Amino acid sequence: MLPTQATGSQPSSTAAAGQSVATALTLRVRGECPGCGADSPGDELCGACAGWPVCEAGCGRRLRDGGSCESCQMAAHHVAIAAEAGEDGRCPGHGGRVCGRPVVNLGLCARCRIEADRERVARDAQWQQSVAAAVTAAEAAQPVNEPAQAAT
């Protein structure tokens, strides 16, 4: 038999009910939006009060920079790579190649699913490079404002 361990906390689930409001506020884990009272880390404005746009894919999340959230992007990717398994329940293949292995996920075998995910990562990297190149080109095309020289 193991010995019992002494703890500094009370084992009751009603222990918090006896705390004062000030004590409860100092022990609170999540912050609160000063505008509406919703959960918000660090007592900052929540996304709705800060005016952040809603996820373009329609999940309702608020994103600081707009666009689609990562979860919706992954869901769209899954829809894009999902395949109909063959009549025998085998993988139809990916990238124009017939496979025939047992289906594991999204109508694809593990190997074809990995290939599809690698293609997604490569497309995302190519997109990020093209965006960075476009930003660099746009910044290079802007005239440089030189500071006015102080009169001596």
Side-chain angles (χ1 to χ4, degrees):
M1 185 163 173
L2 295 174
T4 59
Q5 295 180 351
T7 61
S9 63
Q10 298 176 3
S12 170
S13 62
T14 60
Q19 295 176 348
S20 69
V21 173
T23 303
L25 287 174
T26 59
L27 297 177
R28 154 176 96 179
V29 176
R30 299 197 71 143
E32 203 173 88
C33 173
C36 67
D39 285 344
S40 180
D43 293 329
E44 297 175 2
L45 288 176
C46 67
C49 290
W52 294 357
V54 177
C55 173
E56 292 174 356
C59 71
R61 291 184 183 140
R62 299 268 180 178
L63 305 171
R64 183 182 310 260
D65 300 322
S68 296
C69 69
E70 191 172 320
S71 297
C72 289
Q73 290 173 4
M74 186 59 72
H77 169 67
H78 286 174
V79 168
I81 68 168
E84 288 292 324
E87 291 179 16
D88 59 354
R90 301 256 178 211
C91 177
H94 180 74
R97 291 185 305 268
V98 178
C99 177
R101 292 183 190 90
V103 170
V104 174
N105 191 343
L106 298 173
L108 300 172
C109 69
R111 184 175 292 170
C112 290
R113 171 68 195 275
I114 290 169
E115 287 179 19
D117 284 337
R118 284 183 182 155
E119 287 178 11
R120 178 186 57 85
V121 168
R123 278 193 316 270
D124 289 349
Q126 185 179 15
W127 171 255
Q128 293 298 329
Q129 289 173 351
S130 62
V131 168
V135 168
T136 302
E139 288 174 347
Q142 292 180 351
V144 177
N145 293 333
E146 295 191 23
Q149 295 181 356
T152 55

